[in-house]
Amino acid sequence: MPDEDAMQVDSDVSKPDGEHDVNDDIVSNLDALLLAVQQFDVRFVLRALRAVCSIRKHLKSSGKGLEILKDLRETRIANTGEQGKSNALSKKLKTEPGSLLPEEDIYLAILEQVVYWDSEQYDMGAKFSLEAVKKLRTYNRRTLDPLGAKVYFYLQMFFEQLTPQPPSRQSPIFEIREALLMALRSAILRKDQETQATTIVLLLRNYISTADITQADLLVEHNQFPLTASNNQVARYLYYLGRIRAIQLSYSEAHQHLTSATRKAPAAGVAAGFSQASTKLLVVVELLMGDIPDRSVFRQPKLEHALQPYFELVQAVRSGDLQSFSRVVQVHATTFHRDGTYTLTRRLRQNVIRTGVRMLSLAYSRISLRDICKRLGIESEQSAEYIVAKAIRDGVIEASINHEKGYMETKRAGDIYATPEPAEAFHERIQACLGLHDECVKAMRFPMNQHKLELKNAQEARERERELAKEIQDGEIDEDDAGGDFEGL
């Protein structure tokens, strides 16, 4: 008994529980990949990818993730050689006896990328990712499509962290554009929609990070985003498309894309960063459109702290106080630069002035241009006259200018229901509901060839009826013998 206890203690010391658990998880996922290749079913590959998050935690907590993966790779190769797969099975799997499957090799490579990322070894991770991409391009297997998309994702993430970082024109991020474009071309030719969606999103991220908006717009124009892409990829694509349209002054399209991206974001707190980034940009776009975001947006627990600078910005724009707006932009300039919204917030100056003019038109039936200059902080009466005239032309206010006496006179407000504004609001809501309906229909799954099976059953039923009718006419069978289900011709 003491010897058995000693043996048990030695085995526990030689193989800690954490390492044992993570090895078992990785081996079970590798077995799932083998099953995916044998049955040609990508669902097993997706199952293995979903388990990466839990494996990542164990590898990070162990502190020796690379050693665990290296030992596991060697053990897997040794076990494969000792078992000696039959030539028929090796031929079926298109592998050499005693070697890993390409799916297993790339899956272990993804886990190594994760370890490099968590340990902040960006240089080593970038070199390893380039080697993994070169190895990946030598294969043409549909079961590798989801795994390849993940490899390209980490390739982009590693190169973003290398110095000098974007938007510097000397950033190493320019070096991987050719690899991403080649991957996109191969994915389109092979009808690999998973890699196609991922590479399009990564290229847009690459172009936007270096302010190459024209190239990003050309990429969107010449490539169709896959309709069957995952919800996360669609949300990312809509976010980047909304950012491009906002920079191009197409605020209506940007608002539509960003609203869809925000709605498609996961409801749980797993993607809080994406929800914050999309909501920040959406708030600025709504301000540029002349709208004021709802206060409930800033009260959400996961967004309240991150949106505090934008809440102050909304208050300054809503009040029409130009000095308050300049102070908010100056205080939070670092935050706006980090979020990539500084250029857009600088465009809000004219909106602040127009809002101030609108507030004055509602408060006063007649006000002099000199008083407008004092209240809005405008330099000269001539500039104030130009701003008021532009606001009248754009339909912001209903007023007239007396140029001789130098004042603005507000017209009496009419019935808002006599204007097209209520109809436009209803149109927007109906359009959103119809868009949601179309997306739900596209997301529905139908059994393959079910309509052919129904047609076949209907044809067989008609043939049985013809045979039964022929037998009745020939007198070989009575109507009562037919079971009473037959109706006369």
Side-chain angles (χ1 to χ4, degrees):
M1 293 296 294
D3 295 337
E4 293 179 359
D5 295 339
M7 292 174 59
Q8 182 68 25
V9 171
D10 293 341
S11 63
D12 292 340
V13 172
S14 62
K15 201 167 192 179
D17 293 339
E19 183 177 343
H20 177 76
D21 293 338
V22 71
N23 283 339
D24 287 347
D25 293 340
I26 297 175
V27 169
S28 63
N29 290 327
L30 295 179
D31 294 337
L33 294 175
L34 177 61
L35 192 60
V37 176
Q38 292 176 346
Q39 299 184 6
F40 200 72
D41 193 346
V42 187
R43 291 180 299 176
F44 294 103
V45 181
L46 299 177
R47 183 187 304 173
L49 284 176
R50 284 196 297 268
V52 170
C53 294
S54 60
I55 295 175
R56 178 180 188 174
K57 296 178 182 177
H58 292 294
L59 292 176
K60 186 176 182 180
S61 61
S62 65
K64 48 181 180 178
L66 294 177
E67 291 81 357
I68 294 175
L69 294 174
K70 183 179 179 181
D71 295 340
L72 187 60
R73 182 186 291 270
E74 295 176 355
T75 304
R76 189 78 175 179
I77 295 175
N79 292 339
T80 304
E82 291 176 0
Q83 292 174 0
K85 293 180 181 178
S86 62
N87 294 331
L89 181 59
S90 299
K91 186 180 295 185
K92 179 181 178 181
L93 300 179
K94 298 181 181 180
T95 58
E96 299 179 359
S99 61
L100 288 177
L101 286 173
E103 287 77 9
E104 296 176 337
D105 190 13
I106 298 300
Y107 185 76
L108 292 175
I110 292 174
L111 293 179
E112 292 187 42
Q113 286 180 310
V114 170
V115 173
Y116 281 125
W117 179 262
D118 290 337
S119 59
E120 298 183 359
Q121 301 181 34
Y122 301 128
D123 293 332
M124 296 294 296
K127 295 178 182 178
F128 180 79
S129 299
L130 286 177
E131 296 176 359
V133 167
K134 292 180 181 178
K135 187 185 299 182
L136 183 64
R137 290 193 59 81
T138 59
Y139 302 122
N140 184 11
R141 301 159 68 100
R142 300 286 66 79
T143 48
L144 273 175
D145 294 345
L147 300 173
K150 186 66 69 174
V151 171
Y152 285 112
F153 170 77
Y154 279 106
L155 174 69
Q156 168 76 16
M157 298 302 292
F158 279 121
F159 272 82
E160 283 185 2
Q161 302 300 323
L162 300 181
T163 54
Q165 295 183 358
S168 174
R169 306 306 295 182
Q170 285 76 33
S171 175
I173 204 171
F174 290 93
E175 301 176 4
I176 62 173
R177 287 185 180 178
E178 183 178 358
L180 293 176
L181 290 171
M182 292 175 61
L184 176 59
R185 181 179 60 185
S186 300
I188 294 175
L189 295 176
R190 297 172 180 175
K191 300 186 183 303
D192 176 8
Q193 296 188 351
E194 184 72 24
T195 306
Q196 181 182 354
T198 302
T199 50
I200 288 176
V201 170
L202 293 178
L203 282 169
L204 290 178
R205 180 185 179 93
N206 195 314
Y207 290 140
I208 293 175
S209 65
T210 56
D212 294 326
I213 305 302
T214 304
Q215 297 185 26
D217 187 32
L218 290 175
L219 178 68
V220 173
E221 183 180 353
H222 295 142
N223 292 276
Q224 183 178 3
F225 193 78
L227 299 177
T228 59
S230 63
N231 188 71
N232 294 338
Q233 295 295 347
V234 174
R236 294 187 184 105
Y237 176 75
L238 291 174
Y239 169 74
Y240 291 128
L241 191 57
R243 181 175 286 276
I244 293 171
R245 295 295 178 255
I247 295 174
Q248 294 176 337
L249 305 179
S250 301
Y251 299 129
S252 298
E253 294 184 25
H255 182 268
Q256 182 179 357
H257 296 315
L258 291 171
T259 302
S260 301
T262 306
R263 291 173 179 172
K264 286 182 176 293
V270 293
F274 178 81
S275 298
Q276 292 173 4
S278 59
T279 307
K280 290 174 182 177
L281 188 57
L282 180 60
V283 167
V284 177
V285 170
E286 287 184 355
L287 291 176
L288 288 170
M289 293 176 63
D291 300 332
I292 301 298
D294 192 7
R295 183 179 289 268
S296 61
V297 176
F298 303 94
R299 292 180 177 176
Q300 301 179 32
K302 63 179 181 180
L303 301 177
E304 185 175 5
H305 179 70
L307 293 182
Q308 182 61 31
Y310 295 88
F311 179 69
E312 297 178 8
L313 184 67
V314 169
Q315 288 181 322
V317 174
R318 184 178 182 180
S319 62
D321 189 352
L322 192 59
Q323 296 180 353
S324 177
F325 169 76
S326 301
R327 183 176 64 256
V328 170
V329 173
Q330 184 178 4
V331 171
H332 300 289
T334 305
T335 303
F336 295 148
H337 275 294
R338 185 176 64 250
D339 297 338
T341 57
Y342 182 77
T343 304
L344 297 177
T345 54
R346 296 293 298 177
R347 298 180 187 176
L348 288 171
R349 186 176 184 276
Q350 295 298 326
N351 294 62
V352 175
I353 296 176
R354 286 193 301 178
T355 303
V357 171
R358 184 180 180 184
M359 297 288 290
L360 292 176
S361 67
L362 294 175
Y364 300 94
S365 60
R366 179 185 296 181
I367 184 173
S368 64
L369 297 177
R370 181 176 300 176
D371 291 337
I372 293 177
C373 293
K374 293 179 180 179
R375 293 180 180 274
L376 298 182
I378 303 175
E379 298 177 354
S380 62
E381 295 184 12
Q382 185 177 2
S383 300
E385 184 178 359
Y386 167 76
I387 292 171
V388 172
K390 189 174 185 303
I392 295 173
R393 187 192 65 180
D394 295 341
V396 177
I397 59 175
E398 295 289 338
S400 60
I401 301 177
N402 191 321
H403 300 281
E404 297 178 356
K405 298 182 178 180
Y407 65 83
M408 178 189 72
E409 185 174 2
T410 305
K411 298 180 181 179
R412 182 176 298 180
D415 186 10
I416 190 173
Y417 291 99
T419 65
E421 186 174 351
E424 293 176 356
F426 280 116
H427 175 70
E428 291 180 0
R429 297 178 184 178
I430 294 172
Q431 189 176 10
C433 293
L434 292 177
L436 180 61
H437 174 267
D438 294 341
E439 292 178 0
C440 293
V441 172
K442 292 178 182 178
M444 294 176 65
R445 295 183 179 180
F446 300 93
M448 296 294 293
N449 300 327
Q450 183 68 23
H451 64 289
K452 296 182 180 179
L453 181 60
E454 294 176 356
L455 292 175
K456 182 180 179 181
N457 294 337
Q459 185 176 2
E460 292 177 355
R462 285 194 296 268
E463 291 178 358
R464 286 196 302 269
E465 289 182 359
R466 292 194 191 98
E467 293 177 358
L468 192 58
K470 185 177 180 181
E471 291 177 357
I472 292 175
Q473 290 177 357
D474 295 341
E476 297 178 1
I477 189 172
D478 296 333
E479 293 184 4
D480 296 337
D481 297 335
D485 295 333
F486 174 73
E487 298 180 358
L489 296 175

mmCIF file of all heavy atoms in Angstrom, residues 360-374:
data_model
loop_
_atom_site.group_PDB
_atom_site.id
_atom_site.type_symbol
_atom_site.label_atom_id
_atom_site.label_comp_id
_atom_site.label_asym_id
_atom_site.label_seq_id
_atom_site.Cartn_x
_atom_site.Cartn_y
_atom_site.Cartn_z
ATOM 1 N N LEU A 360 -31.964 80.218 -30.714
ATOM 2 C CA LEU A 360 -32.282 81.647 -30.655
ATOM 3 C C LEU A 360 -33.562 81.955 -31.425
ATOM 4 O O LEU A 360 -34.359 82.803 -31.010
ATOM 5 C CB LEU A 360 -31.119 82.458 -31.224
ATOM 6 C CG LEU A 360 -29.819 82.447 -30.404
ATOM 7 C CD1 LEU A 360 -28.729 83.206 -31.138
ATOM 8 C CD2 LEU A 360 -30.054 83.050 -29.022
ATOM 9 N N SER A 361 -33.784 81.258 -32.530
ATOM 10 C CA SER A 361 -35.001 81.510 -33.309
ATOM 11 C C SER A 361 -36.241 81.058 -32.552
ATOM 12 O O SER A 361 -37.329 81.637 -32.724
ATOM 13 C CB SER A 361 -34.918 80.782 -34.650
ATOM 14 O OG SER A 361 -34.954 79.378 -34.470
ATOM 15 N N LEU A 362 -36.105 80.017 -31.726
ATOM 16 C CA LEU A 362 -37.241 79.569 -30.925
ATOM 17 C C LEU A 362 -37.473 80.468 -29.708
ATOM 18 O O LEU A 362 -38.613 80.617 -29.244
ATOM 19 C CB LEU A 362 -37.009 78.123 -30.453
ATOM 20 C CG LEU A 362 -36.967 77.048 -31.552
ATOM 21 C CD1 LEU A 362 -36.614 75.702 -30.944
ATOM 22 C CD2 LEU A 362 -38.292 76.977 -32.289
ATOM 23 N N ALA A 363 -36.404 81.070 -29.193
ATOM 24 C CA ALA A 363 -36.523 81.892 -27.980
ATOM 25 C C ALA A 363 -36.947 83.323 -28.287
ATOM 26 O O ALA A 363 -37.606 83.966 -27.450
ATOM 27 C CB ALA A 363 -35.201 81.890 -27.219
ATOM 28 N N TYR A 364 -36.577 83.851 -29.462
ATOM 29 C CA TYR A 364 -36.850 85.247 -29.792
ATOM 30 C C TYR A 364 -37.591 85.320 -31.122
ATOM 31 O O TYR A 364 -37.234 84.630 -32.086
ATOM 32 C CB TYR A 364 -35.547 86.060 -29.899
ATOM 33 C CG TYR A 364 -34.733 86.080 -28.621
ATOM 34 C CD1 TYR A 364 -33.709 85.157 -28.426
ATOM 35 C CD2 TYR A 364 -34.990 87.013 -27.636
ATOM 36 C CE1 TYR A 364 -32.956 85.168 -27.268
ATOM 37 C CE2 TYR A 364 -34.243 87.034 -26.468
ATOM 38 C CZ TYR A 364 -33.229 86.108 -26.293
ATOM 39 O OH TYR A 364 -32.493 86.118 -25.138
ATOM 40 N N SER A 365 -38.586 86.185 -31.145
ATOM 41 C CA SER A 365 -39.262 86.434 -32.420
ATOM 42 C C SER A 365 -38.459 87.393 -33.285
ATOM 43 O O SER A 365 -38.589 87.395 -34.517
ATOM 44 C CB SER A 365 -40.663 87.004 -32.172
ATOM 45 O OG SER A 365 -40.570 88.238 -31.450
ATOM 46 N N ARG A 366 -37.645 88.215 -32.652
ATOM 47 C CA ARG A 366 -36.764 89.136 -33.391
ATOM 48 C C ARG A 366 -35.513 89.356 -32.561
ATOM 49 O O ARG A 366 -35.582 89.629 -31.367
ATOM 50 C CB ARG A 366 -37.452 90.463 -33.652
ATOM 51 C CG ARG A 366 -36.577 91.464 -34.386
ATOM 52 C CD ARG A 366 -37.262 92.802 -34.517
ATOM 53 N NE ARG A 366 -38.473 92.723 -35.332
ATOM 54 C CZ ARG A 366 -39.240 93.774 -35.609
ATOM 55 N NH1 ARG A 366 -38.928 94.967 -35.101
ATOM 56 N NH2 ARG A 366 -40.319 93.649 -36.345
ATOM 57 N N ILE A 367 -34.348 89.198 -33.193
ATOM 58 C CA ILE A 367 -33.074 89.376 -32.512
ATOM 59 C C ILE A 367 -32.082 89.961 -33.499
ATOM 60 O O ILE A 367 -32.062 89.616 -34.686
ATOM 61 C CB ILE A 367 -32.555 88.033 -31.940
ATOM 62 C CG1 ILE A 367 -31.274 88.251 -31.147
ATOM 63 C CG2 ILE A 367 -32.374 86.991 -33.021
ATOM 64 C CD1 ILE A 367 -30.788 87.002 -30.398
ATOM 65 N N SER A 368 -31.262 90.878 -33.003
ATOM 66 C CA SER A 368 -30.298 91.551 -33.879
ATOM 67 C C SER A 368 -29.110 90.640 -34.151
ATOM 68 O O SER A 368 -28.801 89.723 -33.376
ATOM 69 C CB SER A 368 -29.828 92.851 -33.226
ATOM 70 O OG SER A 368 -29.127 92.574 -32.027
ATOM 71 N N LEU A 369 -28.438 90.887 -35.252
ATOM 72 C CA LEU A 369 -27.266 90.111 -35.618
ATOM 73 C C LEU A 369 -26.124 90.334 -34.622
ATOM 74 O O LEU A 369 -25.310 89.432 -34.404
ATOM 75 C CB LEU A 369 -26.812 90.484 -37.040
ATOM 76 C CG LEU A 369 -27.820 90.169 -38.161
ATOM 77 C CD1 LEU A 369 -27.272 90.658 -39.497
ATOM 78 C CD2 LEU A 369 -28.109 88.681 -38.216
ATOM 79 N N ARG A 370 -26.067 91.510 -34.019
ATOM 80 C CA ARG A 370 -25.019 91.776 -33.029
ATOM 81 C C ARG A 370 -25.204 90.898 -31.795
ATOM 82 O O ARG A 370 -24.242 90.355 -31.244
ATOM 83 C CB ARG A 370 -25.050 93.247 -32.634
ATOM 84 C CG ARG A 370 -23.977 93.641 -31.626
ATOM 85 C CD ARG A 370 -24.005 95.123 -31.344
ATOM 86 N NE ARG A 370 -23.761 95.885 -32.567
ATOM 87 C CZ ARG A 370 -23.799 97.229 -32.621
ATOM 88 N NH1 ARG A 370 -24.093 97.929 -31.526
ATOM 89 N NH2 ARG A 370 -23.561 97.860 -33.762
ATOM 90 N N ASP A 371 -26.471 90.739 -31.363
ATOM 91 C CA ASP A 371 -26.731 89.870 -30.210
ATOM 92 C C ASP A 371 -26.428 88.406 -30.538
ATOM 93 O O ASP A 371 -25.982 87.642 -29.672
ATOM 94 C CB ASP A 371 -28.187 90.002 -29.766
ATOM 95 C CG ASP A 371 -28.472 91.371 -29.153
ATOM 96 O OD1 ASP A 371 -27.498 91.998 -28.679
ATOM 97 O OD2 ASP A 371 -29.639 91.799 -29.152
ATOM 98 N N ILE A 372 -26.671 88.017 -31.780
ATOM 99 C CA ILE A 372 -26.332 86.644 -32.205
ATOM 100 C C ILE A 372 -24.829 86.422 -32.109
ATOM 101 O O ILE A 372 -24.360 85.356 -31.664
ATOM 102 C CB ILE A 372 -26.849 86.390 -33.634
ATOM 103 C CG1 ILE A 372 -28.382 86.389 -33.658
ATOM 104 C CG2 ILE A 372 -26.318 85.064 -34.175
ATOM 105 C CD1 ILE A 372 -28.972 86.212 -35.046
ATOM 106 N N CYS A 373 -24.051 87.418 -32.503
ATOM 107 C CA CYS A 373 -22.583 87.305 -32.406
ATOM 108 C C CYS A 373 -22.147 87.146 -30.950
ATOM 109 O O CYS A 373 -21.261 86.334 -30.644
ATOM 110 C CB CYS A 373 -21.927 88.548 -33.007
ATOM 111 S SG CYS A 373 -22.146 88.720 -34.784
ATOM 112 N N LYS A 374 -22.762 87.909 -30.043
ATOM 113 C CA LYS A 374 -22.367 87.821 -28.644
ATOM 114 C C LYS A 374 -22.726 86.468 -28.037
ATOM 115 O O LYS A 374 -21.945 85.884 -27.283
ATOM 116 C CB LYS A 374 -23.042 88.937 -27.854
ATOM 117 C CG LYS A 374 -22.561 90.338 -28.216
ATOM 118 C CD LYS A 374 -23.291 91.399 -27.399
ATOM 119 C CE LYS A 374 -22.805 92.799 -27.750
ATOM 120 N NZ LYS A 374 -23.538 93.837 -26.974
#
